[in-house]
């Protein structure tokens, strides 16, 4: 039985899971959740995720939420197929993957997500961009990208010379960020830009790009 993924293809967290499933060659069914009608806050969905957020993954009798927890599960269950995103056979490489996964979650995401919210997600719902929020995050993101530029001058990908979950987790927010007026922050850093062009051209991600639109 194929896994079921409850979510939306324009959702950054749903896309993070979809990219992982595609990299691992896993068959799954995407079950749309109507956020507009509040389906995610109704009892049937809350029984899957009590916090009322997408995505949710069902694999037989197992139900998971939180996108990064889901990708970790998929990578572990399907470690013999597709791309080895966690470098299971090399403890040192696996450790580096986990380091940069933490960087994405704890440092990169908090800096970039408000910018995407203000420039992309908010306007799709009729909200005006609050430039003060954007300005407050650009300095933080610039510092993160400076670290990335240095790191990527030494290796092709964040954890080493291999594509991993650490890179994959960046894809959704980077995709939307590159459509904003702040995209020059990436373009002006040659190693970060080369990395972005590389990871965003992977077939597993390109399968989804056409559906990643708001409004």
């Amino acid at each position: 039985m194929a896994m079921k993924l409850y979510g939306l293809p324009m959702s950054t967290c749903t896309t993070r899971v979809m990219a992982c499933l595609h990299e691992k060659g896993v068959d799954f069914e995407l079950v749309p959740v109507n956020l507009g009608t509040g389906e995610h806050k109704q009892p049937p969905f809350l029984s899957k995720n009590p916090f009322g957020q997408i995505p949710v993954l069902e694999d037989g009798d197992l139900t998971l939420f939180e996108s990064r927890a889901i990708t970790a599960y998929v990578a572990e269950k399907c470690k013999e197929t597709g791309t080895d995103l966690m470098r299971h056979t090399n403890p040192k490489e696996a450790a580096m993957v986990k380091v940069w996964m933490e960087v994405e979650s704890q440092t990169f995401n908090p800096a970039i997500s408000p910018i995407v919210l203000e420039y992309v997600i908010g306007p799709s719902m009729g909200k005006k961009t609050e430039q003060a929020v954007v300005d407050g995050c650009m300095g933080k993101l610039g510092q993160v990208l400076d670290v990335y530029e240095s790191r990527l001058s030494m290796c092709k990908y964040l954890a080493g010379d291999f594509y991993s979950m650490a890179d994959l987790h960046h894809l959704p927010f980077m995709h939307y960020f590159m459509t904003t007026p702040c995209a020059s922050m990436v373009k002006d850093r040659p190693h970060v830009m080369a990395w972005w062009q590389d990871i965003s051209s992977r077939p597993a991600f390109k399968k989804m790009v056409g559906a990643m639109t708001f409004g």
Side-chain angles (χ1 to χ4, degrees):
M1 181 182 298
M3 296 182 185
K4 287 186 177 182
L5 179 64
Y6 295 81
L8 292 170
M10 73 284 292
S11 154
T12 53
C13 293
T14 304
T15 303
R16 185 177 292 120
V17 175
M18 291 174 64
C20 177
L21 290 165
H22 285 311
E23 282 286 349
K24 301 303 291 183
V26 177
D27 290 331
F28 67 96
E29 176 189 355
L30 179 62
V31 182
V33 178
N34 193 328
L35 304 185
T37 63
E39 181 183 354
H40 57 308
K41 300 299 184 182
Q42 299 302 312
F45 188 84
L46 291 173
S47 69
K48 306 178 190 299
N49 181 354
F51 297 102
Q53 297 175 333
I54 57 174
V56 167
L57 182 79
E58 287 184 344
D59 184 19
D61 60 358
L62 177 66
T63 300
L64 297 173
F65 51 90
E66 294 295 341
S67 63
R68 293 173 182 83
I70 295 172
T71 59
Y73 167 73
V74 171
E76 178 62 28
K77 179 179 180 179
C78 307
K79 60 185 176 184
E80 304 300 330
T81 64
T83 306
D84 182 5
L85 295 169
M86 297 299 295
R87 308 301 285 187
H88 287 96
T89 61
N90 188 314
K92 291 184 178 180
E93 290 180 352
M96 290 305 299
V97 172
K98 291 174 182 176
V99 166
W100 287 95
M101 287 172 64
E102 286 295 315
V103 172
E104 183 276 330
S105 174
Q106 302 298 323
T107 307
F108 173 85
N109 192 71
I112 199 171
S113 56
I115 299 175
V116 171
L117 179 63
E118 291 298 329
Y119 273 129
V120 181
I121 301 174
S124 75
M125 299 184 292
K127 298 181 179 179
K128 293 183 178 180
T129 298
E130 293 188 25
Q131 193 60 42
V133 174
V134 174
D135 294 343
C137 290
M138 286 180 64
K140 297 175 184 177
L141 181 60
Q143 292 176 347
V144 176
L145 293 178
D146 284 343
V147 173
Y148 279 36
E149 180 69 9
S150 176
R151 173 64 178 171
L152 293 166
S153 72
M154 297 182 285
C155 48
K156 187 175 182 179
Y157 301 101
L158 288 173
D161 290 320
F162 50 86
Y163 181 73
S164 75
M165 193 74 81
D167 306 292
L168 183 150
H169 278 183
H170 287 76
L171 284 167
F173 274 109
M174 282 285 289
H175 169 76
Y176 290 121
F177 180 80
M178 294 305 291
T179 69
T180 75
C182 300
S184 60
M185 296 180 69
V186 170
K187 296 176 181 178
D188 291 345
R189 293 170 169 85
H191 293 99
V192 177
M193 184 60 183
W195 167 74
W196 167 244
Q197 290 176 324
D198 184 306
I199 67 174
S200 63
S201 67
R202 294 183 69 84
F205 185 66
K206 291 176 72 175
K207 286 182 180 181
M208 306 175 297
V209 170
M212 293 179 67
T213 57
F214 284 92

